[in-house]
Amino acid sequence: PPAARSSEPLLPERLLARSRAIRDATITHFWLPEQRYFAHAIERDAEGRPRPLRALQSNAGWMLATSFFDELPEEQRAALVGGVVRTLFSADMLTVAGIRGRALSQHNPGFRSYHENVWPFDSAIIARGLRHHGLDELADQLEARLLNVANMLGGAFEFVTVDGDGRVVDPRLSAVSAGRLFGRSVPGLPTEMVP
């Protein structure tokens, strides 16, 4: 005899419902309306209440390459995608080499965190996401930056350092050149990691 039908939804339906709930919670807890961008993490304040970390990082750009926004009402989708794209293409994030991992405005002048560099794989994922949303011209521009910096440096590097004035820093930089560039005597590029 056939098995009795359960009133519980099938696994694909349950997973789809769960993904929508996660999407909605992400928008509720991570969207920063005043910045028109997503926080990259949530921390707890001194009283234990959750609060979003407001440092602008490229992580939200990866969301463009997923179906995260696809089922949202058009007006909400346009506002969220538009906010992410405008932030990524702002002077704070966009460089001649691609998208910075962390906004220039959050740079610590005494130390260059690896988050501040341009990671080509990061920019490539963002370009894929731009195409997903029909923003092919922006994707073309971003991919051209990746090719140009590889040509300029004579090869592909894991990441590319771009200084505060928008200049690509040669990863083979000597200590003398780094001292002139960064205004002090340093043993090479003053960064957490070297490409």
Side-chain angles (χ1 to χ4, degrees), residues 4-193:
R5 290 198 55 118
S6 168
S7 61
E8 185 176 332
L10 297 173
L11 181 61
E13 294 165 346
R14 290 195 320 259
L15 292 175
L16 185 57
R18 174 63 84 182
S19 72
R20 289 175 178 147
I22 291 170
R23 178 202 61 206
D24 294 345
T26 300
I27 294 168
T28 298
H29 298 290
F30 286 80
W31 181 250
L32 304 169
E34 67 283 357
Q35 289 179 282
R36 299 186 65 205
Y37 200 68
F38 285 94
H40 69 279
I42 301 287
E43 66 174 349
R44 298 227 177 243
D45 66 16
E47 286 79 40
R49 293 180 302 238
R51 67 178 175 198
L53 292 178
R54 298 181 179 279
L56 295 178
Q57 298 203 164
S58 61
N59 307 49
W62 289 33
M63 296 166 69
L64 299 171
T66 71
S67 60
F68 184 87
F69 303 101
D70 292 357
E71 294 184 354
L72 293 174
E74 183 55 37
E75 187 174 323
Q76 184 183 25
R77 180 177 176 263
L80 295 173
V81 170
V84 169
V85 171
R86 274 188 286 284
T87 299
L88 293 173
F89 278 76
S90 71
D92 214 15
M93 300 288 287
L94 184 65
T95 74
V96 296
I99 305 289
R100 291 180 191 279
R102 179 181 298 141
L104 181 62
S105 61
Q106 279 128 30
H107 170 64
N108 174 352
F111 180 74
R112 180 171 201 87
S113 163
Y114 72 93
H115 294 288
E116 298 174 40
N117 296 307
V118 173
W119 296 77
F121 79 90
D122 190 34
S123 291
I125 291 170
I126 292 168
R128 180 182 299 166
L130 293 167
R131 290 196 191 289
H132 179 77
H133 291 280
L135 301 170
D136 294 334
E137 290 181 19
L138 291 178
D140 289 344
Q141 290 177 29
L142 193 50
E143 290 166 347
R145 290 168 192 262
L146 293 173
L147 291 173
N148 288 341
V149 76
N151 286 331
M152 181 187 336
L153 295 175
F157 285 86
E158 179 185 15
F159 61 88
V160 178
T161 300
V162 180
D163 72 14
D165 294 323
R167 295 179 304 234
V168 172
V169 178
D170 190 321
R172 300 159 295 234
L173 191 65
S174 71
V176 172
S177 298
R180 280 196 306 266
L181 180 64
F182 291 96
R184 62 185 187 281
S185 178
V186 291
L189 185 61
T191 186
E192 191 171 11
M193 295 170 60

